[in-house]
Amino acid sequence: MTDAQIRPVQALLIVDVQSAFVSGADAVPDAARVLDRTRDLLARARAAGALVVHLQNDGGAGTVDEPGTAGWELHLPVTPGPREHVVRKTEDDGFFDTPLDALLDDAGVTELTVCGVLSEMCVAATARAALERGHRVVLPHDAHATYDIPAAPGISDTVPHAMSSRAAEWALGDEVEIVPHAAAVPFTAPTGTVNQAS
């Protein structure tokens, strides 16, 4: 799909843009690009009155995203309100055992875009779960990222992060709308209302 063909979406899901993954020595290689694209998507979603959901992963004890640690913190500022929420999760799928489904339904969201990290894990799992629930999903190619996949002796050499991200897109199948540039994704306000601010 080309940028010119994108229809507006009603929600932005920002997946795990937490300090451990996008800052410091352990950031994903394309962290600067993902942050730039995510800031742009976030600003335009807010301006349009779209629903914004920041997914925040609660890692296990001793992990870089263990709750309460610096790495767990969301890297971008949140503006809490009826149209902007933080949803904490413990699984790759942002819908699993979280209020995300209800937030989207209450707001009347049927079309959304997904960005963030990691491409083949939480981004892909959340996008797939949204597709399974009947949502239209737009995935901007330049707004998600991951790490290199380490070499596995007897199996493969190191898989570069860009190839892993592209494979994650491909594995989502024909239903997802993969578009080249986040800057071309338009937003519109959803029809419903969300009664409880986060």
Side-chain angles (χ1 to χ4, degrees), residues 13 93 95 101 104 110-112 114 123-139 168-178:
L13 305 187
D93 173 3
F95 289 86
D101 206 11
L104 297 177
T110 58
E111 302 176 293
L112 55 90
V114 180
V123 171
T126 299
R128 185 174 289 110
L131 289 169
E132 290 170 353
R133 287 163 171 78
H135 296 292
R136 171 177 165 250
V137 177
V138 175
L139 181 62
E169 294 175 343
W170 182 256
L172 288 168
D174 294 338
E175 291 182 66
V176 70
E177 294 178 29
I178 301 166

Side-chain angles (χ1 to χ4, degrees), residues 12-191:
L12 172 65
L13 305 187
I14 301 173
V15 181
D16 300 354
V17 177
Q18 294 165 248
S19 292
F21 308 122
V22 296
S23 65
D26 295 324
V28 295
D30 287 329
R33 171 178 51 78
V34 169
L35 286 171
D36 177 72
R37 304 308 188 269
T38 301
R39 286 186 183 102
D40 174 65
L41 288 165
L42 180 56
R44 292 188 295 105
R46 286 170 172 163
L51 181 69
V52 174
V53 180
H54 302 260
L55 292 175
Q56 184 176 28
N57 196 66
D58 288 350
T63 61
V64 296
D65 56 350
E66 178 182 353
T69 65
W72 171 78
E73 297 292 340
L74 292 172
H75 194 73
L76 299 177
V78 177
T79 305
R83 294 287 187 198
E84 189 159 345
H85 299 261
V86 175
V87 171
R88 292 173 62 178
K89 64 185 184 63
T90 57
E91 303 292 333
D92 288 356
D93 173 3
F95 289 86
F96 181 80
D97 201 24
T98 74
L100 179 57
D101 206 11
L103 279 174
L104 297 177
D105 286 348
D106 289 350
V109 169
T110 58
E111 302 176 293
L112 55 90
T113 195
V114 180
C115 66
V117 295
L118 301 171
S119 301
E120 79 282 20
M121 296 177 72
C122 297
V123 171
T126 299
R128 185 174 289 110
L131 289 169
E132 290 170 353
R133 287 163 171 78
H135 296 292
R136 171 177 165 250
V137 177
V138 175
L139 181 62
H141 174 74
D142 61 352
H144 66 93
T146 192
Y147 297 102
D148 292 343
I149 298 175
I155 298 175
S156 75
D157 294 331
T158 299
V159 178
H161 58 274
M163 290 179 64
S164 180
S165 288
R166 179 66 186 118
E169 294 175 343
W170 182 256
L172 288 168
D174 294 338
E175 291 182 66
V176 70
E177 294 178 29
I178 301 166
V179 299
H181 304 109
V185 177
F187 291 93
T188 187
T191 57

